[in-house]
Amino acid sequence: NGDKVHEVTFSTPCSFGVGLAFDGVNLWYSCAGSPNLFRADPLTGVVSASYRIPAPGTLGALSYDATRNAIWAGAGSDEVWLINLDAGKNVISSAKVFNTGDLCGLDDGLAFDARNVGDPNDDVWYYSDDCWTTIIDVYNISGSKVESFTWAGTVPGPLNHNSGLAVGGQLLYQMSVFANKVYVVDKTTKALQYTFTVDLKHPEDMECDTNTFAAQGKHVMWTKGAFEAKAGAFEIEFGSCGVGGAPPGEPELVLDPSVKKYISENGFD
């Protein structure tokens, strides 16, 4: 756990951006400015699309939702936005869902959890803002807070606060931006399972990827440096997470458009 598998530099520079998501094929990252959302190849970093999401302030943490084929995004004024994608992973619409009322101008921790994939109504997401928070909040899909708890970090002194978040199956990953350390807890009991360090500058948002390095027998947790257009992939236990908030062992099926066309033309179900 924690071994670096890959580091990628995105082809479009970003002087500040904390958000990172993985949709089963692409990495997405947020960046201050216009456009403020980018889609990129996880191996080469080549940006294949960019968008302007009309959210207030700086677009913050991101988390892919495989249930809805959408990206949840934190924004300024403590807003949470839902960015809808089509089958080709292109942005087709976006809208504010609600306001958390956390009174912080930037959200750097957001993690979607599908829990029981057969019941979209039990979906939740984990949230922590950028204002030196030590509390992680859990919201249901309607925006009602259902749980709050203290993060697992033990960084000495005033720098002890949570930044990035990610769900990996039964585990919740919590980033310490100043210690470059990830605290991994059981999301039910909150008991610390293990920790590992990352060597990116000012690491923030995280997201699970079970696809990009699967041929090497590796599953990873991505994280993005806030002050550079870089992301690093760090190994986690194989089979311990799922893409887009799905439980382990239930990866999203992503088909190439030519395969979809062949299936349609030949009448396969």
Side-chain angles (χ1 to χ4, degrees):
N1 288 321
D3 288 350
K4 181 183 277 188
V5 176
H6 187 67
E7 183 174 292
V8 62
T9 299
F10 300 119
S11 62
T12 299
C14 178
S15 60
F16 178 75
V18 301
L20 190 72
F22 178 72
D23 66 15
V25 177
N26 311 284
L27 283 177
W28 294 77
Y29 66 100
S30 62
C31 188
S34 182
N36 57 3
L37 181 66
F38 299 85
R39 186 187 69 199
D41 185 286
L43 293 176
T44 67
V46 172
V47 170
S48 56
S50 61
Y51 301 92
R52 172 61 189 173
I53 306 302
T58 299
L59 200 64
L62 308 172
S63 189
Y64 179 63
D65 176 347
T67 302
R68 295 164 183 80
N69 188 32
I71 296 172
W72 293 93
S77 302
D78 306 302
E79 294 183 1
V80 175
W81 282 57
L82 189 63
I83 303 167
N84 296 298
L85 308 178
D86 64 15
K89 306 303 183 187
N90 304 293
V91 172
I92 54 175
S93 65
S94 63
K96 184 183 85 168
V97 179
F98 53 85
N99 188 297
T100 65
D102 277 359
L103 303 178
C104 182
L106 179 67
D107 162 43
D108 59 356
L110 191 69
F112 172 75
D113 187 2
R115 302 207 293 187
N116 175 10
V117 294
D119 181 10
N121 293 317
D122 83 338
D123 296 350
V124 298
W125 44 270
Y126 294 77
Y127 178 95
S128 69
D129 63 39
D130 192 45
C131 293
W132 302 89
T133 184
T134 58
I135 301 298
I136 297 169
D137 295 318
V138 186
Y139 292 85
N140 65 22
I141 210 67
S142 300
S144 298
K145 189 183 296 185
V146 296
E147 184 183 7
S148 294
F149 56 91
T150 302
W151 88 300
T154 55
V155 181
L159 302 183
N160 184 45
H161 71 277
N162 183 75
S163 52
L165 292 171
V167 167
Q170 186 57 28
L171 301 175
L172 178 66
Y173 293 72
Q174 307 170 33
M175 177 67 77
S176 169
V177 68
F178 290 110
N180 286 57
K181 187 173 183 178
V182 182
Y183 295 84
V184 186
V185 305
D186 183 284
K187 68 185 184 185
T188 302
T189 67
K190 312 303 185 291
L192 184 66
Q193 304 299 300
Y194 64 92
T195 66
F196 63 90
T197 57
V198 299
D199 60 351
L200 284 178
K201 181 181 178 181
H202 214 87
E204 296 264 9
D205 203 9
M206 296 178 284
E207 191 117 335
C208 163
D209 175 357
T210 63
N211 296 345
T212 305
F213 307 100
Q216 302 175 31
K218 297 178 180 181
H219 288 168
V220 301
M221 187 63 65
W222 286 97
T223 186
K224 183 186 179 298
F227 296 102
E228 54 190 354
K230 284 186 178 180
F234 298 86
E235 188 169 5
I236 58 175
E237 182 180 353
F238 194 89
S240 64
C241 72
V243 171
E250 299 184 36
E252 180 194 16
L253 178 62
V254 180
L255 295 179
D256 183 273
S258 63
V259 177
K260 292 182 179 179
K261 184 173 183 291
Y262 180 84
I263 290 173
S264 176
E265 290 177 346
N266 288 274
F268 296 117
D269 56 23

